Amino acid sequence: NAGVTQTPKFQVLKTGQSMTLQCAQDMNHNSMYWYRQDPGMGLRLIYYSASEGTTDKGEVPNGYNVSRLNKREFSLRLESAAPSQTSVYFCASSITRQGARETQYFGPGTRLLVL
Amino acid sequence: AQSVTQLDSHVSVSEGTPVLLRCNYSSSYSPSLFWYVQHPNKGLQLLLKYTSAATLVKGINGFEAEFKKSETSFHLTKPSAHMSDAAEYFCVVSGSGGYNKLIFGAGTRLAVHP
């Protein structure tokens, strides 16, 4: 039981390049999330997926796209990377229960540097 | 709207002394509250969670937190710090909305000295 896994662990991009961050969970969770972490700001939600086949914008979605490939996998794509997207990206998952606030389980993160 | 404020960005203690990490929250309804820990270059790990049951919540590694509605606080404590407790700690409040929204504090970096 690996929990939430993310690839790659590190990535360096040039401005304008594209890339996809991968996330997978093996806990049979319905909901998945992408966050970014910047110094002094905690984590901010980029996109989330409440169930397979649905995605919605979070707090800071500009410059990103997501795909919920199946129940296990949720990818984050940067179409044209910018230096402002230098950050640490975390994927998380949780069960979905109407009206309840469920614990989110986090992956180890992807450190992205955009030059 | 919900918000969370961690009152100290850095806390430094000696090994074996008590730890207090302070967190105040704002919520228009009865929230769920969490503390997560992040060790260097690692992901976030849940320490404990409050969901309107007992106001004193016990977590992993000897940590506990007390929910005080009158003070809108959810401070994290540990009686005796260990070197392995050095990490960043995030206080988190559940948000309103149709999904499992979490609102993170800015974090408190705990340093533990020998």
Side-chain angles (χ1 to χ4, degrees), chain B residues 17-84:
Chain B
T17 64
V19 175
L20 170 63
L21 305 183
R22 298 182 295 163
C23 173
N24 287 349
Y25 71 91
S26 171
S27 178
S28 55
Y29 60 95
S30 186
S32 293
L33 292 156
F34 309 78
W35 276 98
Y36 281 87
V37 60
Q38 183 181 28
H39 287 94
N41 300 316
K42 300 289 186 185
L44 278 76
Q45 180 185 20
L46 180 69
L47 273 180
L48 51 81
K49 174 182 178 182
Y50 166 78
T51 55
S52 75
T55 56
L56 184 62
V57 183
K58 293 190 183 300
I60 61 171
N61 300 334
F63 284 95
E64 61 182 37
E66 186 172 8
F67 174 73
K68 293 187 176 181
K69 187 174 180 179
S70 60
E71 298 176 12
T72 61
S73 68
F74 190 57
H75 301 335
L76 182 70
T77 61
K78 183 173 180 179
S80 177
H82 192 274
M83 295 297 290
S84 62

Side-chain angles (χ1 to χ4, degrees), chain A residues 2-96:
Chain A
V4 180
T5 58
Q6 294 182 234
T7 55
K9 286 187 169 57
F10 303 97
Q11 185 71 48
V12 178
L13 292 178
K14 295 180 180 178
T15 297
Q17 287 185 317
S18 63
M19 78 162 295
T20 300
L21 282 65
Q22 307 286 354
C23 174
Q25 52 90 12
D26 62 1
M27 297 176 282
N28 202 33
H29 287 167
N30 287 325
S31 298
M32 298 185 73
Y33 314 82
W34 275 106
Y35 292 88
R36 60 178 288 171
Q37 183 183 28
D38 301 296
M41 297 186 71
L43 274 69
R44 293 181 293 167
L45 183 67
I46 304 171
Y47 271 92
Y48 68 98
S49 170
S51 62
E52 186 178 350
T54 68
T55 62
D56 287 285
K57 294 178 180 179
E59 188 182 349
V60 288
N62 291 345
Y64 305 95
N65 286 300
V66 290
S67 296
R68 183 73 182 267
L69 304 169
N70 47 55
K71 191 172 185 180
R72 291 188 63 249
E73 298 172 290
F74 188 38
S75 63
L76 178 72
R77 182 161 178 85
L78 287 69
E79 290 291 351
S80 179
S84 61
Q85 294 178 304
T86 293
S87 188
V88 182
Y89 292 85
F90 288 99
C91 178
S93 71
S94 71
I95 63 172
T96 303

